[in-house]
Amino acid sequence: MSADAPSWTVCPLAASGRAPAPADRHRWDALWASSGHRSPFATLAYAEAVQAALGWRYTVLGVEPARGAPLAAGLVAFHRQRGPLVRLGVPPVTPYTPILLCDDLDEASIHRRRHPLETLLRALPAGHADCTLHLAPGLDDARPLQWQGWTAQPLYTARVPFRDATDPLTQWSASARRVARKNAPRYVVAPGAPAETVALLQASYQRQARGVPAPPGQLRALATQLTATGHAQTWTARPTPASAPEAAVTLLRDDRAAYYWLAGSHPGPAMTVLMGALLPRLQADGLHYFDFVGANTPSIAEFKRRLGGERVAYLRAERTQHPWLAAWKAWRTWKRG
């Protein structure tokens, strides 16, 4: 075997649009439990909900050192048909492509071109016009991508670390703490329904003259299914127990972190009050951090910074194979200047 040859074997765990067999589901779940890059977005329940609600089909690939051995890495590849083209990409409201590694990226194996991540990239299904991946924080070495012809650029999220018994609100700006403290008596913070979050999210996008990431009915179906499987939970802030909420957030959670997945609010202090009540609860649950899921728009990034969010980078990687699509993307980039 040459120094550049991969030392891993790719094993399909689920063909396009088909659920994995029980044994393969068990192998994926074991990899998820052992991976430092796990998140709710990398669960098979999330992939199944995206396919059912949003119409994105998925394929699951694993990398093993020997047939039947525990997986060293895995990937859920989402794809959809757009006219005559099949595009592998990132579904709406999915910040991170489900990629799992049993260990962190190892410099020596990367340099020898024998890392399982590079094996996964080589194994992506052929025939796609283009491919887009969002590599979660921690998967920040772009070289395995670039060496295979991908382009990679940094994106950012904001994370609130839960440090021992330190009150997470001490990381807030002074103005945000004042808003939360002054207005907390005006609101009841309590569990809610995903439909309430989607309604407030839709209204927020309409005020900004922006289109929602996906049709509201699809978002409701997605959030409802993930709530039923125990991966999502909704919290609201409302003036009275019987009134409509002024702020709502549907979180995705696992054993380590919570994610600010779907959220919306009326203009005013309600969301600040809601987050002021939620962060201490999440810390008390034993979570390691709270991920605000994106800090790439100035005003949104500043709001999250004031609530204790610390900037963390992740990668957007793209590879375009269809010549017409590549030419169109080049023209669009040129026109933007």
Side-chain angles (χ1 to χ4, degrees):
M1 182 179 291
S2 71
D4 288 340
S7 55
W8 308 97
T9 301
V10 175
C11 51
L13 301 180
S16 174
R18 297 184 181 179
D24 289 328
R25 179 181 290 273
H26 176 75
R27 296 183 75 198
W28 180 271
D29 291 344
L31 174 63
W32 186 92
S34 68
S35 176
H37 308 290
R38 67 184 179 270
S39 76
F41 304 102
T43 61
L44 293 176
Y46 185 82
E48 291 160 351
V50 166
Q51 180 168 282
L54 305 184
W56 285 67
R57 297 167 73 86
Y58 71 91
T59 299
V60 185
L61 300 173
V63 175
E64 58 188 3
R67 185 175 179 83
L71 297 175
L75 167 85
V76 177
F78 290 104
H79 50 91
R80 62 175 174 169
Q81 186 94 22
R82 296 298 297 269
L85 304 179
V86 179
R87 308 183 70 173
L88 186 151
V90 181
V93 301
T94 304
Y96 310 127
T97 299
I99 297 175
L100 296 175
L101 301 176
C102 63
D103 295 306
D104 289 337
L105 292 175
D106 173 70
E107 289 274 324
S109 63
I110 290 173
H111 298 160
R112 292 195 302 267
R113 308 287 303 274
R114 296 174 71 169
H115 196 276
L117 176 59
E118 193 159 352
T119 303
L120 275 176
L121 296 173
R122 291 192 191 100
L124 286 174
H128 293 107
D130 69 345
C131 303
T132 302
L133 305 174
H134 284 181
L135 279 70
L139 299 174
D140 54 2
D141 192 332
R143 293 172 299 172
L145 296 152
Q146 294 168 335
W147 292 337
Q148 291 194 44
W150 294 70
T151 61
Q153 68 178 86
L155 295 173
Y156 298 93
T157 187
R159 285 184 169 179
V160 178
F162 295 141
R163 299 186 173 101
D164 301 323
T166 303
D167 183 351
L169 272 63
T170 62
Q171 303 172 65
W172 285 27
S173 70
S175 61
R177 287 198 301 271
R178 283 195 300 270
V179 169
R181 186 168 53 248
K182 176 182 177 181
N183 293 281
R186 296 173 46 197
Y187 292 96
V188 176
V189 173
E196 295 175 305
T197 303
V198 174
L200 287 167
L201 180 150
Q202 183 180 15
S204 296
Y205 273 82
Q206 288 174 341
R207 285 194 301 272
Q208 301 168 43
R210 298 167 56 200
V212 292
Q218 293 184 3
L219 293 178
R220 284 194 297 271
L222 179 62
T224 299
Q225 183 167 339
L226 288 168
T227 299
T229 59
H231 293 84
Q233 58 181 213
T234 299
W235 289 89
T236 61
R238 52 187 92 219
T240 70
S243 61
E246 292 188 8
V249 58
T250 298
L251 306 174
L252 287 190
R253 289 185 52 167
D254 61 18
D255 61 329
R256 297 192 311 159
Y259 295 78
Y260 187 80
W261 183 45
L262 303 177
S265 69
H266 293 173
M271 183 58 77
T272 300
V273 170
L274 177 55
M275 295 309 303
L278 275 184
L279 291 177
R281 294 186 190 205
L282 297 172
Q283 182 185 44
D285 286 347
L287 301 185
H288 297 178
Y289 61 87
F290 179 82
D291 191 326
F292 269 114
V293 185
N296 299 293
T297 301
S299 59
I300 294 174
E302 176 60 12
F303 170 75
K304 295 173 179 179
R305 183 197 68 80
R306 291 176 180 174
L307 300 191
E310 299 179 358
R311 179 169 53 87
V312 176
Y314 62 102
L315 291 177
R316 175 183 174 88
E318 296 181 274
R319 184 181 66 188
T320 302
Q321 301 175 118
H322 193 285
W324 293 354
L325 188 58
W328 177 76
K329 286 187 173 182
W331 173 83
R332 186 177 61 175
T333 300
W334 171 81
K335 190 170 183 182
R336 286 175 178 171

